[in-house]
Amino acid sequence: MTASEQTSIYHARARALVAGKSDAEVIALVGNWRPVKVPPLAEFVRHCLIVEKESGRLIPFDLWPAQEEALAVIEKSEKLCVPKGRQVGITWLELAAMLWAGSFHGHRLFPIARQSDEYAREAITRLLILAGYDPAFEVGKQRLQSESPLPKEWRPKVVGKTRRELRLTNGSSYRALTATQPIARGLAAYWGLADEYAFWPWPARQLAAMESGCARLHVVSTGNGEGDAFAS
C-alpha cells in the first residue's frame, strides 16, 4: 500500500468518525486529543510550577539530583513506601508524576488520601498549580499563571473542578479523599497516594482498603513517634 493510499484511508476514517456529529461534539473530540509523543516524566515536571516555601512565590520545578532519583523510582514502582525527611518534596513529586500519568493517558482515576479534609483539598490546589492554572478559576474561564513554562500541548485540559475533584477532558480524574476506614474501597483506580499515612486514625485497615482499589499505591509519610504504623 502506498503512502497516498494510507493517507486516503485515514482521511476516510476521520470523516466517518465525525459524520453526524454536531460542531460541539467534534470540538470535544479534538479537545480530548493528546500528543502522540509523551514527554519524559522528568522533562514534564521541570515545566511544572511549585510554591517556594521561603517566599511563597511560584517557581519552575527545577529538579536537583536527589529529586530526579526519587522521580525515577516513583515512575517505575507499582507499590512504594517513602519516608519523608530529606526535604526532597516527595508529595510534590508524587502529584507531579500523577498529573503526567493522567494528562497523556485517558480514563485513569487517581485517589489522593490525606489525613484531614483541609489537606485533602490542598492536593487539588497543588495539582492546578503544577499544571500552571490559577486554582481559583471557574471551569470554562481558566486563568493561567504567567510564571508557568508548561507548553500548551502538554497542559492538561480541565473539564470539571471542585474543591475535592479535578476532571480532565480525556476522562482522567483526581479525587481528594479524607482518611476514613473504607477509603478508596471499591474504586477501580490506576494510582493511589496515601499521604502522611502515620497520622491516619486506622492505618492498617485504611491501607488495606486503598490497596483493594488501586493498581498502583504509593505511601509517603513523616514519622509519628517510635513504633508508629509507618515504621512497622
Side-chain angles (χ1 to χ4, degrees), residues 98-232:
M98 294 169 89
L99 184 67
W100 170 81
S103 295
F104 298 99
H105 303 278
H107 305 287
R108 288 178 169 178
L109 175 60
F110 300 83
I112 303 162
R114 310 187 81 188
Q115 73 267 38
S116 70
D117 185 64
E118 178 184 357
Y119 282 113
R121 296 197 306 266
E122 194 252 355
I124 299 299
T125 297
R126 288 198 191 197
L127 287 166
L128 289 166
I129 290 172
L130 285 163
Y133 289 113
D134 179 347
F137 80 82
E138 298 178 10
V139 175
K141 300 179 181 179
Q142 285 90 332
R143 294 193 300 272
L144 298 180
Q145 305 282 6
S146 60
E147 300 90 342
S148 176
L150 197 66
K152 180 180 179 181
E153 61 271 21
W154 291 2
R155 196 182 311 278
K157 296 177 175 62
V158 177
V159 71
K161 177 179 79 78
T162 68
R163 292 194 298 174
R164 301 186 67 119
E165 185 176 22
L166 190 65
R167 291 183 288 110
L168 307 184
T169 55
N170 66 1
S172 289
S173 63
Y174 302 82
R175 295 183 190 173
L177 308 175
T178 303
T180 59
Q181 289 193 54
I183 193 168
R185 188 179 295 279
L187 295 180
Y190 172 68
W191 183 342
L193 175 62
D195 194 21
E196 293 296 6
Y197 166 73
F199 296 88
W200 291 10
W202 309 282
R205 280 176 288 177
Q206 292 167 311
L207 190 61
M210 283 204 75
E211 283 187 299
S212 72
C214 300
R216 293 167 57 94
L217 180 60
H218 292 183
V219 182
V220 300
S221 185
T222 49
N224 189 20
E226 186 176 349
D228 65 11
F230 188 64
S232 60

